[in-house]
Amino acid sequence: MTFEDTLATWLVKQRWFAGKGRTVHDLAVVADTEIIPGDPGLRHLIVTVSHGATSDSYQLFVGYRARLPARLRHARIGTHAGVQVYDGLHDTALTRTLLDAIVDDRSVGMLRFCRMPGAEISRGQAGLDSLVLTGEQSNTSLVFGESAIFKVFRRVTSGPNPDLEVASALARLGSSHIAEPFGWVEARIDGATAVLAILSRYLRAASDGWSLAATSVRDLYATEEGTRAAEAGGDFEGEAERLGAATAQVHRDLADAFGQSELEPEAIRELAEQMYRRLDMAVATVPELGRYSDKVGNAYSDLAKLIEPVRAQRVHGDYHLGQVLRTQTGWVVLDFEGEPASPLAQRRARSSPLRDVAGMLRSFDYAARHQLVTRPDAAASSPSAPSSPSTPSSPSSGLAAKAADWVRRNGDAFCAGYAAAGGLDPAENSVLLRAMLLDKAVYEVLYEARNRPTWISIPLESIAEL
């Protein structure tokens, strides 16, 4: 087996590999940079994976050891020239060098390690051990001690990186709702700059929004039947309201940093047409969605009839409970790269800030409903086929009622906090918000059909009820 074959066999099994379901026709190493010589050694590879007429580029930090210790066997890629090769990001003996290089503003071959001017990081911090986080999907993140987090973008794309671009701009404004960047890694690829990784402040003792919301839901489900969300321990309403206010502040900062404009009626009609096209594509893949086509289409039709301009600005673009952290001082928003599968121009384009509001409201719905799907005491009928638009099948009417109460209560609190802090009032823009909620749910139906078929009931039942 060639080295390229070894890499391809390992690559397609990784969570962050974007080509799942597509046949890999070829893998080629297009760049190879030695960062650390010897044993252990570290090389940075950029590989191009071909899927017929299309191709994607990925970066790998490959470690080399004559003998692989037990602590690194889970990261093994294979054998090359009699040497063990593995994912070097899991080897703290190697990753310290990456932070040293950022602190020193060092270049290694084609790689440029850049320190953010004024960044509060020293060589002493760079000597800390690293730990790979397990929750990432499209990226890989390492935490160094309790001071810094290093996010590696596995899929390589040239051009401005929205995550670095936005976080840097908001840091310059003094935003308290972001983790400021300390530095980054970049390279020139085919004549254009590609950002490969970002080093940012690590927010120790922080809890992610998804975990906090899931705990609140779990506490509610454990109560006696008939208990409402407001009466259960771990009520999330106050946090939801504070998150709404923090979101409005981030949106104000984004408008200050990148400006704002308006979507005129013609642009709103085009937006509705885009939603129609996504609906048609989703129905073609998931026929069960077709029973709601008229209902969803009516919402898009209402959107197309708006005659007042809609405010547009830079937004987060992939906003959900997994993208926010609750620290001791408040909520912090992470990962401004947008939807990774979307084109760069689309991720950097202006949109209605209610797009982020819709994303978070859908996330509240997921936080409540996903536990209905996975609870052994709540066996569902067919999870992919709600019985009717008015009465979708649900695992348990008692738990489903609690879920609906939790979603409504926290969604209302989030919207209230958002409006009170100066955000576009969702209640006064219900036509736009409803269309965006349904558009997001349609996207979720397609995503679940391709990746988690057992969860497809979540967006389908939401569409039935919206």
Side-chain angles (χ1 to χ4, degrees):
M1 181 180 287
T2 67
F3 182 50
E4 288 77 8
D5 289 338
T6 299
L7 290 177
T9 300
W10 174 80
L11 183 68
V12 298
K13 299 176 183 177
Q14 305 311 300
R15 293 176 64 189
W16 39 263
F17 179 64
K20 290 181 176 63
R22 291 185 289 169
T23 302
V24 174
H25 295 287
D26 184 51
L27 181 147
V29 177
V30 297
D32 183 350
T33 303
E34 185 178 61
I35 300 176
I36 303 175
D39 183 356
L42 181 65
R43 305 185 79 91
H44 178 271
L45 307 182
I46 295 180
V47 301
T48 298
V49 180
S50 299
H51 310 279
T54 64
S55 64
D56 296 312
S57 295
Y58 296 88
Q59 63 169 322
L60 310 176
F61 287 83
V62 179
Y64 291 79
R65 286 178 180 262
R67 298 182 62 182
L68 198 63
R71 64 182 176 82
L72 292 173
R73 287 174 188 164
H74 70 286
R76 184 177 183 271
I77 296 174
T79 304
H80 175 55
V83 177
Q84 298 292 321
V85 294
Y86 59 100
D87 186 350
L89 293 178
H90 290 263
D91 192 345
T92 190
L94 301 176
T95 55
R96 294 190 189 106
T97 298
L98 303 177
L99 261 71
D100 285 340
I102 290 177
V103 170
D104 295 341
D105 258 328
R106 188 190 312 164
S107 292
V108 181
M110 67 179 292
L111 304 178
R112 184 183 171 210
F113 295 81
C114 308
R115 178 173 178 168
M116 191 71 68
E120 298 177 6
I121 184 168
S122 64
R123 252 189 168 279
Q125 289 173 299
L128 296 171
D129 287 346
S130 63
L131 175 67
V132 174
L133 299 181
T134 59
E136 289 281 3
Q137 294 284 342
S138 56
N139 309 307
T140 299
S141 288
L142 291 71
V143 172
F144 288 85
E146 294 186 336
S147 59
I149 183 168
F150 187 63
K151 181 165 72 171
V152 176
F153 299 101
R154 289 295 195 166
R155 196 173 180 183
V156 177
T157 56
S158 298
N161 180 278
D163 199 6
L164 180 62
E165 179 184 36
V166 171
S168 300
L170 298 191
R172 288 192 293 269
L173 290 176
S175 174
S176 61
H177 297 296
I178 57 106
E180 71 271 27
F182 291 151
W184 69 96
V185 183
E186 65 181 31
R188 295 284 292 179
I189 302 174
D190 295 330
T193 299
V195 174
L196 304 176
I198 300 175
L199 181 70
S200 305
R201 180 181 298 281
Y202 178 60
L203 303 169
R204 56 183 178 272
S207 300
D208 70 272
W210 177 263
S211 297
L212 291 174
T215 299
S216 172
V217 171
R218 189 164 54 248
D219 289 347
L220 175 61
Y221 288 171
T223 61
E224 295 180 359
E225 187 169 349
T227 303
R228 299 175 64 84
E231 302 164 346
D235 183 26
F236 193 70
E237 183 186 25
E239 291 298 349
E241 184 173 0
R242 285 186 283 273
L243 177 58
T247 303
Q249 180 61 62
V250 169
H251 281 163
R252 288 202 303 274
D253 289 343
L254 285 169
D256 288 344
F258 299 98
Q260 54 185 328
S261 56
E262 289 185 332
L263 296 177
E264 298 295 338
E266 182 178 351
I268 297 173
R269 288 192 294 272
E270 174 56 29
L271 176 62
E273 284 298 323
Q274 293 171 6
M275 293 179 177
Y276 275 119
R277 290 194 288 270
R278 284 192 287 269
L279 174 61
D280 290 341
M281 182 176 65
V283 170
T285 304
V286 186
E288 302 99 304
L289 181 60
R291 70 181 68 191
Y292 308 118
S293 290
D294 289 345
K295 174 183 180 178
V296 176
N298 288 339
Y300 297 166
S301 177
D302 291 341
L303 174 63
K305 295 174 184 175
L306 292 180
I307 59 175
E308 294 295 327
V310 170
R311 192 176 80 199
Q313 61 167 84
R314 283 291 288 268
V315 297
H316 185 283
D318 187 28
Y319 202 46
H320 55 77
L321 285 164
Q323 305 281 41
V324 293
L325 291 177
R326 183 63 167 91
T327 71
Q328 295 176 342
T329 57
W331 285 100
V332 170
V333 179
L334 307 174
D335 297 337
F336 288 91
E337 60 184 298
E339 175 55 51
S342 299
L344 177 61
Q346 183 176 323
R347 287 186 279 140
R348 300 179 73 220
R350 291 175 179 175
S351 181
S352 168
L354 289 186
R355 178 182 173 192
D356 285 346
V357 172
M360 188 57 69
L361 294 179
R362 291 297 308 131
S363 190
F364 285 153
D365 192 72
Y366 260 74
R369 291 182 191 266
H370 91 279
Q371 294 188 38
L372 298 182
V373 174
T374 57
R375 285 178 67 99
D377 60 335
S381 57
S382 172
S384 60
S387 57
S388 72
S390 59
T391 58
S393 64
S394 58
S396 162
S397 59
L399 292 181
K402 289 182 178 181
D405 180 48
W406 189 94
V407 172
R408 178 198 56 75
R409 176 179 171 81
N410 289 287
D412 288 350
F414 176 86
C415 289
Y418 184 80
L424 196 63
D425 191 344
E428 296 180 1
N429 295 272
S430 58
V431 171
L432 175 59
L433 180 60
R434 177 179 172 81
M436 289 190 162
L437 282 168
L438 286 167
D439 184 51
K440 180 69 172 178
V442 167
Y443 164 83
E444 292 161 357
V445 168
L446 197 57
Y447 177 88
E448 302 300 359
R450 292 172 174 171
N451 297 278
R452 291 182 301 202
T454 58
W455 283 35
I456 201 171
S457 61
I458 297 175
L460 280 174
E461 292 180 3
S462 298
I463 290 172
E465 294 174 8
L466 273 171

Coordinates of all heavy atoms in Angstrom, one line a residue, residues 160-220:
P160 N -10.2 35.1 2.5 CA -10.4 35.6 3.9 C -11.1 34.5 4.7 O -12.0 33.8 4.2 CB -11.3 36.8 3.7 CG -11.1 37.3 2.3 CD -10.8 36.0 1.5
N161 N -10.7 34.4 5.9 CA -11.3 33.4 6.8 C -12.3 34.2 7.7 O -11.9 35.0 8.5 CB -10.2 32.7 7.7 CG -10.8 31.8 8.7 OD1 -11.3 32.1 9.7 ND2 -10.8 30.5 8.3
P162 N -13.6 33.9 7.6 CA -14.6 34.7 8.3 C -14.4 34.6 9.8 O -14.6 35.6 10.5 CB -15.9 34.1 7.9 CG -15.6 33.4 6.6 CD -14.2 33.0 6.7
D163 N -13.9 33.5 10.4 CA -13.8 33.4 11.8 C -12.7 34.3 12.3 O -12.9 35.1 13.3 CB -13.4 31.9 12.2 CG -13.7 31.6 13.6 OD1 -14.2 32.4 14.3 OD2 -13.3 30.5 14.0
L164 N -11.5 34.4 11.7 CA -10.5 35.3 12.1 C -10.9 36.7 11.8 O -10.6 37.6 12.6 CB -9.2 34.9 11.3 CG -8.0 35.8 11.6 CD1 -7.6 35.7 13.1 CD2 -6.8 35.3 10.7
E165 N -11.5 36.9 10.6 CA -11.9 38.3 10.2 C -12.8 38.9 11.2 O -12.6 40.1 11.7 CB -12.5 38.2 8.8 CG -13.0 39.5 8.3 CD -13.7 39.3 6.9 OE1 -14.4 38.3 6.8 OE2 -13.6 40.2 6.1
V166 N -13.9 38.2 11.6 CA -14.9 38.7 12.5 C -14.3 38.8 13.9 O -14.5 39.9 14.6 CB -16.1 37.8 12.5 CG1 -17.1 38.3 13.6 CG2 -16.8 37.9 11.1
A167 N -13.7 37.8 14.4 CA -13.2 37.8 15.8 C -12.2 38.9 16.0 O -12.2 39.6 17.0 CB -12.6 36.5 16.2
S168 N -11.3 39.2 15.0 CA -10.3 40.3 15.1 C -11.0 41.6 15.1 O -10.7 42.5 15.9 CB -9.4 40.2 13.9 OG -8.7 39.0 13.9
A169 N -12.0 41.8 14.3 CA -12.7 43.1 14.2 C -13.5 43.3 15.5 O -13.5 44.5 16.0 CB -13.7 43.1 13.0
L170 N -14.1 42.3 16.1 CA -14.9 42.5 17.3 C -13.9 42.7 18.5 O -14.2 43.5 19.4 CB -15.8 41.3 17.6 CG -16.9 41.1 16.5 CD1 -17.9 40.1 17.0 CD2 -17.6 42.4 16.2
A171 N -12.8 42.1 18.4 CA -11.8 42.3 19.5 C -11.3 43.7 19.5 O -11.1 44.4 20.6 CB -10.6 41.3 19.3
R172 N -11.1 44.3 18.3 CA -10.7 45.7 18.2 C -11.7 46.7 18.8 O -11.4 47.7 19.3 CB -10.3 46.1 16.8 CG -9.1 45.4 16.3 CD -8.6 46.0 14.9 NE -9.5 45.7 13.9 CZ -9.4 44.6 13.1 NH1 -8.4 43.8 13.3 NH2 -10.3 44.4 12.1
L173 N -13.0 46.2 18.7 CA -14.1 47.1 19.3 C -14.2 46.9 20.8 O -15.0 47.6 21.4 CB -15.4 46.7 18.6 CG -15.6 47.1 17.1 CD1 -16.9 46.6 16.6 CD2 -15.5 48.7 17.0
G174 N -13.5 45.9 21.3 CA -13.5 45.7 22.8 C -14.7 44.8 23.2 O -15.2 44.9 24.3
S175 N -15.3 44.0 22.3 CA -16.4 43.2 22.6 C -16.1 42.2 23.7 O -15.1 41.6 23.7 CB -16.9 42.4 21.3 OG -17.9 41.5 21.7
S176 N -17.0 42.1 24.7 CA -16.9 41.2 25.8 C -17.5 39.9 25.5 O -17.5 39.0 26.4 CB -17.5 41.8 27.0 OG -18.9 42.1 26.8
H177 N -18.1 39.7 24.3 CA -18.8 38.5 24.0 C -18.1 37.6 23.0 O -18.7 36.8 22.3 CB -20.2 38.9 23.4 CG -21.1 39.6 24.4 ND1 -21.5 39.0 25.6 CD2 -21.6 40.8 24.4 CE1 -22.3 39.9 26.2 NE2 -22.3 41.0 25.5
I178 N -16.8 37.8 22.8 CA -16.0 36.9 22.0 C -14.7 36.5 22.7 O -14.3 37.2 23.6 CB -15.7 37.6 20.6 CG1 -14.9 38.9 20.8 CG2 -16.9 37.8 19.8 CD1 -13.5 38.9 20.5
A179 N -14.1 35.4 22.2 CA -12.8 35.0 22.7 C -11.7 35.6 21.7 O -11.7 35.2 20.6 CB -12.7 33.5 22.8
E180 N -11.0 36.6 22.2 CA -10.1 37.3 21.2 C -9.0 36.4 20.7 O -8.5 35.6 21.4 CB -9.5 38.6 21.9 CG -8.5 38.3 22.9 CD -9.0 38.2 24.3 OE1 -10.2 37.7 24.4 OE2 -8.3 38.5 25.3
P181 N -8.6 36.6 19.4 CA -7.6 35.7 18.8 C -6.2 36.2 19.3 O -5.9 37.4 19.4 CB -7.8 35.9 17.3 CG -8.5 37.3 17.2 CD -9.3 37.4 18.5
F182 N -5.3 35.3 19.5 CA -3.9 35.5 19.8 C -3.0 35.5 18.6 O -1.9 36.1 18.5 CB -3.4 34.5 20.8 CG -4.0 34.7 22.2 CD1 -4.1 33.5 23.0 CD2 -4.4 35.9 22.7 CE1 -4.6 33.7 24.3 CE2 -5.0 36.0 24.0 CZ -5.1 34.9 24.8
G183 N -3.4 34.7 17.6 CA -2.6 34.5 16.4 C -3.2 33.5 15.5 O -4.3 33.0 15.7
W184 N -2.5 33.2 14.4 CA -3.0 32.3 13.4 C -1.9 31.7 12.6 O -0.7 32.2 12.6 CB -4.0 33.0 12.5 CG -3.4 34.0 11.5 CD1 -3.1 33.9 10.2 CD2 -3.1 35.4 11.8 NE1 -2.6 35.0 9.7 CE2 -2.6 36.0 10.6 CE3 -3.2 36.2 13.0 CZ2 -2.2 37.3 10.6 CZ3 -2.8 37.5 12.9 CH2 -2.3 38.1 11.7
V185 N -2.2 30.7 11.8 CA -1.3 30.1 10.8 C -1.8 30.2 9.4 O -3.0 30.0 9.2 CB -1.1 28.6 11.2 CG1 0.0 28.0 10.2 CG2 -0.7 28.4 12.6
E186 N -1.0 30.6 8.5 CA -1.4 30.8 7.1 C -0.4 30.2 6.1 O 0.7 30.0 6.5 CB -1.7 32.2 6.8 CG -0.5 33.1 6.8 CD -0.9 34.6 6.6 OE1 -2.0 35.0 6.9 OE2 0.0 35.3 6.0
A187 N -0.8 30.1 4.9 CA 0.1 29.6 3.8 C -0.4 30.2 2.5 O -1.6 30.4 2.3 CB 0.1 28.1 3.8
R188 N 0.5 30.4 1.6 CA 0.1 30.7 0.2 C -0.1 29.5 -0.6 O 0.8 28.6 -0.7 CB 1.2 31.6 -0.4 CG 1.5 32.9 0.2 CD 0.4 33.9 -0.1 NE 0.5 34.3 -1.5 CZ -0.4 35.2 -2.0 NH1 -1.4 35.7 -1.3 NH2 -0.3 35.6 -3.3
I189 N -1.3 29.3 -1.1 CA -1.6 28.1 -1.9 C -2.2 28.6 -3.3 O -3.2 29.3 -3.3 CB -2.6 27.3 -1.2 CG1 -2.1 26.8 0.2 CG2 -3.0 26.0 -2.0 CD1 -3.1 26.1 1.0
D190 N -1.5 28.2 -4.3 CA -1.9 28.6 -5.7 C -2.1 30.1 -5.8 O -3.1 30.6 -6.4 CB -3.3 27.9 -6.1 CG -3.1 26.4 -6.2 OD1 -2.0 26.0 -6.5 OD2 -4.1 25.7 -5.9
G191 N -1.2 30.9 -5.2 CA -1.2 32.3 -5.3 C -2.1 33.0 -4.4 O -2.1 34.3 -4.4
A192 N -2.8 32.3 -3.5 CA -3.8 33.0 -2.6 C -3.5 32.5 -1.2 O -3.0 31.4 -0.9 CB -5.2 32.7 -3.0
T193 N -3.8 33.4 -0.2 CA -3.5 33.1 1.2 C -4.7 32.3 1.8 O -5.9 32.6 1.6 CB -3.4 34.4 2.0 OG1 -2.2 35.1 1.5 CG2 -3.1 34.0 3.5
A194 N -4.3 31.2 2.5 CA -5.3 30.4 3.2 C -5.0 30.4 4.7 O -3.8 30.1 5.1 CB -5.3 28.9 2.6
V195 N -6.0 30.7 5.5 CA -5.8 30.6 7.0 C -6.0 29.1 7.4 O -7.0 28.5 7.1 CB -6.8 31.5 7.7 CG1 -6.7 31.3 9.2 CG2 -6.5 33.0 7.4
L196 N -5.0 28.6 8.0 CA -5.0 27.1 8.4 C -5.4 26.9 9.8 O -6.0 25.8 10.1 CB -3.6 26.5 8.1 CG -3.1 26.7 6.7 CD1 -1.6 26.1 6.7 CD2 -3.9 26.0 5.7
A197 N -5.2 27.8 10.7 CA -5.5 27.6 12.1 C -5.6 29.0 12.8 O -5.0 29.9 12.4 CB -4.5 26.7 12.8
I198 N -6.3 29.0 13.9 CA -6.4 30.2 14.8 C -6.1 29.9 16.2 O -6.7 28.9 16.7 CB -7.8 30.9 14.7 CG1 -8.1 31.2 13.2 CG2 -7.9 32.1 15.5 CD1 -9.5 31.8 13.0
L199 N -5.3 30.7 16.9 CA -5.1 30.5 18.3 C -5.8 31.6 19.0 O -5.7 32.8 18.7 CB -3.6 30.7 18.6 CG -3.1 30.5 20.1 CD1 -3.3 29.1 20.5 CD2 -1.7 31.0 20.3
S200 N -6.7 31.3 20.0 CA -7.5 32.2 20.7 C -7.4 32.0 22.2 O -6.9 31.0 22.7 CB -9.0 32.1 20.2 OG -9.1 32.2 18.9
R201 N -8.0 33.0 22.9 CA -8.1 32.8 24.4 C -9.0 31.7 24.7 O -10.1 31.5 24.2 CB -8.6 34.1 25.0 CG -8.7 34.0 26.6 CD -9.3 35.3 27.1 NE -8.4 36.4 26.9 CZ -7.3 36.7 27.6 NH1 -7.0 35.9 28.6 NH2 -6.6 37.8 27.3
Y202 N -8.6 30.8 25.7 CA -9.4 29.7 26.1 C -10.2 30.2 27.4 O -9.6 30.8 28.3 CB -8.5 28.5 26.5 CG -9.3 27.4 27.1 CD1 -10.3 26.8 26.3 CD2 -9.1 26.9 28.3 CE1 -11.0 25.7 26.8 CE2 -9.8 25.8 28.8 CZ -10.8 25.2 28.0 OH -11.5 24.2 28.5
L203 N -11.5 30.0 27.3 CA -12.4 30.4 28.4 C -12.6 29.3 29.4 O -13.4 28.4 29.2 CB -13.7 30.8 27.8 CG -13.6 32.0 26.7 CD1 -14.9 32.2 26.0 CD2 -13.1 33.2 27.4
R204 N -11.7 29.2 30.4 CA -11.8 28.1 31.4 C -13.0 28.3 32.2 O -13.5 29.4 32.4 CB -10.5 28.1 32.2 CG -10.2 29.4 32.9 CD -8.9 29.2 33.7 NE -8.5 30.5 34.4 CZ -7.8 31.4 33.8 NH1 -7.4 31.3 32.6 NH2 -7.5 32.5 34.5
A205 N -13.4 27.2 32.8 CA -14.6 27.2 33.7 C -15.9 27.7 33.0 O -16.8 28.2 33.6 CB -14.4 28.0 34.9
A206 N -15.9 27.5 31.6 CA -17.1 27.9 30.9 C -17.9 26.7 30.5 O -17.3 25.6 30.4 CB -16.7 28.7 29.6
S207 N -19.2 26.8 30.3 CA -20.1 25.7 29.9 C -20.7 26.1 28.6 O -21.2 27.2 28.4 CB -21.1 25.5 31.0 OG -20.6 25.1 32.2
D208 N -20.8 25.1 27.7 CA -21.4 25.4 26.4 C -22.9 25.4 26.6 O -23.5 24.7 27.4 CB -21.0 24.4 25.3 CG -21.5 23.0 25.5 OD1 -20.9 22.2 26.2 OD2 -22.6 22.8 25.0
G209 N -23.6 26.2 25.7 CA -25.0 26.4 25.8 C -25.8 25.1 25.6 O -26.8 24.9 26.3
W210 N -25.3 24.2 24.7 CA -26.1 23.0 24.5 C -26.1 22.1 25.7 O -27.2 21.6 26.1 CB -25.4 22.2 23.3 CG -26.0 20.9 23.1 CD1 -25.6 19.7 23.5 CD2 -27.2 20.6 22.3 NE1 -26.5 18.7 23.1 CE2 -27.4 19.2 22.4 CE3 -28.1 21.5 21.6 CZ2 -28.5 18.6 21.7 CZ3 -29.2 20.9 20.9 CH2 -29.4 19.5 21.0
S211 N -25.0 22.0 26.4 CA -25.0 21.2 27.7 C -25.9 21.8 28.7 O -26.6 21.0 29.4 CB -23.5 21.1 28.2 OG -22.7 20.4 27.3
L212 N -25.8 23.1 28.9 CA -26.7 23.7 29.9 C -28.2 23.5 29.6 O -29.0 23.2 30.4 CB -26.4 25.2 30.0 CG -25.0 25.6 30.6 CD1 -24.8 27.1 30.4 CD2 -24.9 25.2 32.0
A213 N -28.5 23.7 28.3 CA -29.9 23.5 27.9 C -30.3 22.1 28.0 O -31.5 21.8 28.5 CB -30.1 24.0 26.5
A214 N -29.5 21.2 27.6 CA -29.8 19.7 27.7 C -30.0 19.3 29.2 O -30.9 18.5 29.5 CB -28.7 18.9 27.1
T215 N -29.2 19.9 30.1 CA -29.4 19.6 31.5 C -30.7 20.1 32.0 O -31.4 19.4 32.8 CB -28.3 20.2 32.3 OG1 -27.0 19.6 31.9 CG2 -28.4 19.9 33.8
S216 N -31.1 21.3 31.6 CA -32.4 21.9 32.0 C -33.5 21.0 31.5 O -34.5 20.7 32.2 CB -32.5 23.3 31.4 OG -33.8 23.8 31.6
V217 N -33.4 20.5 30.3 CA -34.5 19.7 29.7 C -34.6 18.4 30.5 O -35.6 17.9 30.8 CB -34.3 19.5 28.2 CG1 -35.2 18.4 27.7 CG2 -34.4 20.8 27.4
R218 N -33.4 17.8 30.7 CA -33.4 16.5 31.4 C -34.0 16.6 32.8 O -34.7 15.7 33.3 CB -31.9 16.0 31.5 CG -31.8 14.6 32.0 CD -30.4 14.0 31.7 NE -29.3 14.9 32.2 CZ -28.5 15.6 31.4 NH1 -28.6 15.5 30.1 NH2 -27.5 16.3 31.9
D219 N -33.7 17.7 33.5 CA -34.3 18.0 34.8 C -35.8 18.1 34.7 O -36.6 17.5 35.6 CB -33.7 19.2 35.5 CG -32.3 19.1 35.9 OD1 -31.8 18.0 35.9 OD2 -31.7 20.1 36.2
L220 N -36.3 18.7 33.7 CA -37.7 18.9 33.5 C -38.4 17.5 33.2 O -39.4 17.2 33.7 CB -38.0 19.8 32.3 CG -39.5 20.0 31.9 CD1 -40.3 20.6 33.0 CD2 -39.5 20.9 30.6

